[in-house]
């Protein structure tokens, strides 16, 4: 694999239960990697909501920027931070651990390459040997599995408060390995850390001589992120975001279709089909921000001109003319229910998928995940706040979609309540029903 691809910009999140030390860990990571300016340090040293004693720095204040977060000592919103080392650039999303703000964790995880799952070693019961992980740790891990996060680093935190016991670290590793196996998380790595003291965050700690592995930063610097590029699907997916007109009296009246190529390649002279509707045309011109180009690939924002005027609107999707895909009106999907009100199967919601918005009803709840036991309940008829369930949806009109595992851009959607305009659920498509 090309090293520039392998070591490109890494987007990662922190996950885990409330008070596990996620904000403190990120603050320490920024501080020890020399990514904090002197005026920032002075500001948090003088902060009125500082939760450390003496001259110790409250690193959590580097990411907990909202006044409510500093007053309550919890993360509420997703905080993004940027830093770089000699080997890589990073975008960090510090996501909340509190169950009430699970929706914000889903938002942060939806664009991440990797996740750092914190486990507070002081909050677990080791009397039975292998401890039971906290429910929110399990819920966040289940969401990471659903979102297809490829790399998970388990940071066993607050090792300083348990005397850096190797046995405790090993027991937590055994517990999470079992959880990862049941959820299907393949690449999981483990690092014993103290976010407050800086042990194994940027450099190896003398306090854990029994741990011979890399520090957290070293793991993050070495994570490969090129697989997503290498495995991108070849089938063209171009959702139309905007129809661009330039009305003039000339014969070459401009009509273009703007959007982002979500998969595959599109080029001048290529025969395409506009779905839904199965109208056909040929691409006459590909216009990029740099000018006219012969083709465009996944990730590029372009404007396409066709060889003839056809009925195209926002929400339509261009596919290759020979692509056998059929737009779907029924979907099977995994839903993370985010609203305080339970799912009402009798209601219509607005499903937002790529650039399309269509009315949808949840016609069946097939099963609901119990995050405590990781078993599934097939007797439920609805979803409550933070439930994760397998459902069937019926749409008012068909959409062009793919399984989330094949293409996250065309396999993801959200449900919006028309009355409140709140996002009530995030969904990952399994298949067309």
């Amino acid at each position: 694999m090309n090293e520039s691809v392998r070591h490109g910009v890494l987007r990662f999140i922190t996950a885990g239960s409330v008070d596990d030390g996620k904000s403190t860990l990120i603050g320490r990571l920024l501080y020890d990697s020399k990514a904090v300016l002197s005026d920032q340090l002075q500001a948090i040293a003088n902060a009125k909501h500082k939760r450390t004693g003496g001259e110790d720095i409250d690193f959590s204040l580097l990411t907990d920027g909202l006044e409510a977060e500093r007053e309550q000592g919890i993360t509420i919103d997703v905080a993004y931070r940027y830093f770089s080392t000699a080997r890589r650039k990073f975008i960090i999303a510090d996501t909340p651990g509190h169950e009430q703000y699970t929706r914000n964790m889903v938002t942060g995880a939806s664009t991440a390459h990797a996740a750092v799952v914190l486990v507070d070693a002081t909050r677990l019961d080791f009397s039975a040997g292998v401890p039971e992980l906290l429910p929110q740790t399990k819920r966040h891990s289940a969401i990471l599995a659903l979102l297809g996060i490829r790399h998970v680093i388990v940071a066993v935190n607050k090792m300083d408060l348990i005397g850096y016991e190797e046995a405790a670290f090993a027991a937590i590793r055994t517990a999470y390995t079992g959880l990862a196996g049941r959820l299907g998380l393949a690449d999981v790595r483990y690092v014993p850390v103290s976010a407050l003291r800086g042990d194994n965050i940027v450099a190896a700690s003398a306090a854990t001589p029994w741990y011979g592995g890399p520090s957290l930063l070293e793991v993050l610097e070495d994570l490969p992120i090129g697989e997503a590029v290498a495995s991108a699907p070849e089938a063209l997916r171009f959702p139309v975001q905007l129809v661009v007109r330039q009305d003039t009296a000339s014969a070459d009246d401009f009509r273009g279709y703007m959007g982002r190529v979500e998969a595959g390649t599109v080029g001048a002279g290529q025969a395409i089909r506009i779905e839904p509707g199965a109208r056909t045309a040929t691409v006459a011109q590909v216009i990029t921000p740099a000018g006219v180009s012969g083709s465009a690939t996944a990730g590029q924002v372009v404007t396409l001109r066709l060889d003839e005027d056809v009925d195209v609107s926002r929400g339509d999707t261009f596919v290759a003319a020979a692509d056998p895909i059929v737009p779907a009106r029924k979907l099977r999907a995994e839903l993370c229910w985010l609203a305080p009100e339970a799912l009402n199967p009798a209601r219509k919601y607005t499903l937002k998928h790529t650039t399309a918005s269509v009315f949808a009803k949840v016609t069946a709840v097939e099963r609901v995940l119990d995050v405590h036991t990781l078993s599934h309940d097939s007797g439920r008829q609805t979803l409550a706040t933070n439930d994760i369930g397998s459902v069937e949806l019926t749409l008012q009109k068909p959409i062009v979609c793919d399984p989330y595992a094949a293409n996250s851009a065309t396999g993801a959607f959200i449900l919006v309540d028309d009355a409140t305009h709140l996002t009530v659920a995030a969904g990952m498509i399994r298949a067309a029903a």
Side-chain angles (χ1 to χ4, degrees):
M1 182 185 297
N2 184 288
E3 284 301 305
S4 63
V5 173
R6 177 185 174 91
H7 291 105
V9 178
L10 179 75
R11 301 177 66 102
F12 72 94
I13 70 160
T14 54
S17 191
V18 65
D19 289 334
D20 281 349
K22 295 180 291 299
S23 297
T24 301
L25 180 136
I26 290 181
R28 169 62 80 171
L29 184 61
L30 294 172
Y31 178 77
D32 286 357
S33 60
K34 313 300 182 186
V36 181
L37 300 177
S38 58
D39 59 336
Q40 292 176 298
L41 286 176
Q42 187 63 42
I44 64 174
N46 297 332
K48 65 179 179 179
H49 298 301
K50 180 179 175 182
R51 296 185 295 274
T52 54
E55 298 299 317
D56 288 341
I57 300 172
D58 185 353
F59 293 105
S60 69
L61 297 181
L62 288 171
T63 55
D64 287 344
L66 298 177
E67 185 69 13
E69 293 178 319
R70 297 188 174 198
E71 287 176 351
Q72 300 177 49
I74 62 173
T75 301
I76 296 174
D77 201 2
V78 182
Y80 291 94
R81 292 294 181 268
Y82 311 86
F83 78 104
S84 62
T85 66
R87 300 186 60 193
R88 168 171 265 171
K89 295 180 180 179
F90 300 91
I91 301 175
I92 314 171
D94 181 22
T95 63
H98 197 285
E99 186 174 346
Q100 179 181 350
Y101 305 113
T102 298
R103 61 188 299 143
N104 294 345
M105 179 270 173
V106 175
T107 300
S110 63
T111 58
H113 301 113
V116 178
V117 177
L118 274 83
V119 177
D120 183 347
T122 67
R123 300 173 66 189
L124 302 181
D125 182 5
F126 296 92
S127 60
V130 177
E132 183 73 21
L133 298 172
L134 298 178
Q136 194 69 341
T137 302
K138 296 180 182 179
R139 179 179 285 107
H140 280 193
S141 298
I143 292 170
L144 295 176
L146 286 177
L147 291 173
I149 301 298
R150 288 178 170 79
H151 310 290
V152 174
I153 304 102
V154 177
V156 180
N157 194 23
K158 304 184 185 180
M159 291 295 297
D160 55 313
L161 299 183
I162 61 169
Y164 299 98
E165 292 183 13
E166 180 181 6
F169 173 73
I172 294 172
R173 181 175 57 195
T174 299
Y176 197 92
T177 299
L179 173 66
R182 297 176 69 177
L183 293 175
L185 295 170
D187 182 18
V188 182
R189 307 159 195 229
Y190 301 87
V191 183
V193 304
S194 168
L196 186 62
R197 301 302 173 196
D199 296 298
N200 294 320
I201 302 296
V202 169
S205 171
T208 55
W210 43 265
Y211 173 70
S215 68
L216 176 64
L217 180 60
E218 289 170 337
V219 173
L220 293 170
E221 287 181 324
D222 280 336
L223 284 182
I225 61 173
E227 307 97 316
V229 174
S231 62
E234 295 296 325
L236 171 63
R237 299 289 184 267
F238 181 79
V240 175
Q241 183 171 4
L242 181 67
V243 179
V244 184
R245 292 295 309 276
Q246 182 179 336
D247 294 315
T248 66
S250 62
D252 60 345
D253 182 22
F254 184 92
R255 182 192 295 264
Y257 307 101
M258 187 178 292
R260 183 172 66 183
V261 182
E262 297 294 3
T265 301
V266 62
Q270 180 177 350
I272 58 99
R273 193 172 76 249
I274 301 107
E275 295 287 5
R279 292 145 290 166
T280 58
T282 300
V283 177
Q285 199 174 44
V286 178
I287 305 171
T288 72
V292 176
S293 176
S295 64
T297 58
Q300 287 187 264
V301 176
V302 297
T303 300
L304 303 182
R305 295 189 69 183
L306 304 181
D307 64 340
E308 57 182 305
D309 290 341
V310 292
D311 182 12
V312 178
S313 303
R314 173 183 169 88
D316 289 341
T317 300
F318 293 179
V319 302
D323 194 325
I325 190 168
V326 177
R329 287 195 62 179
K330 289 191 175 183
L331 307 174
R332 298 184 67 188
E334 303 290 341
L335 274 190
C336 295
W337 193 257
L338 308 173
E341 298 81 18
L343 163 67
N344 183 350
R347 291 193 60 177
K348 285 184 179 180
Y349 298 95
T350 296
L351 181 143
K352 292 184 176 291
H353 171 265
T354 62
T355 60
S357 296
V358 302
F359 287 122
K361 290 185 70 174
V362 178
T363 49
V365 176
E366 298 173 346
R367 59 180 189 171
V368 181
L369 176 69
D370 184 331
V371 296
H372 297 275
T373 64
L374 297 184
S375 60
H376 289 89
D377 183 355
S378 57
R380 297 269 297 276
Q381 300 300 314
T382 186
L383 297 174
T385 306
N386 295 327
D387 274 345
I388 300 170
S390 302
V391 303
E392 185 176 288
L393 300 102
T394 300
L395 313 184
Q396 183 185 42
K397 61 181 182 179
I399 60 172
V400 175
C401 60
D402 298 284
Y404 184 87
N407 187 342
S408 60
T410 57
F413 64 89
I414 60 173
L415 294 181
V416 176
D417 187 318
D418 284 342
T420 63
H421 303 290
L422 294 177
T423 300
V424 297
M428 286 70 70
I429 297 170
R430 294 204 316 274

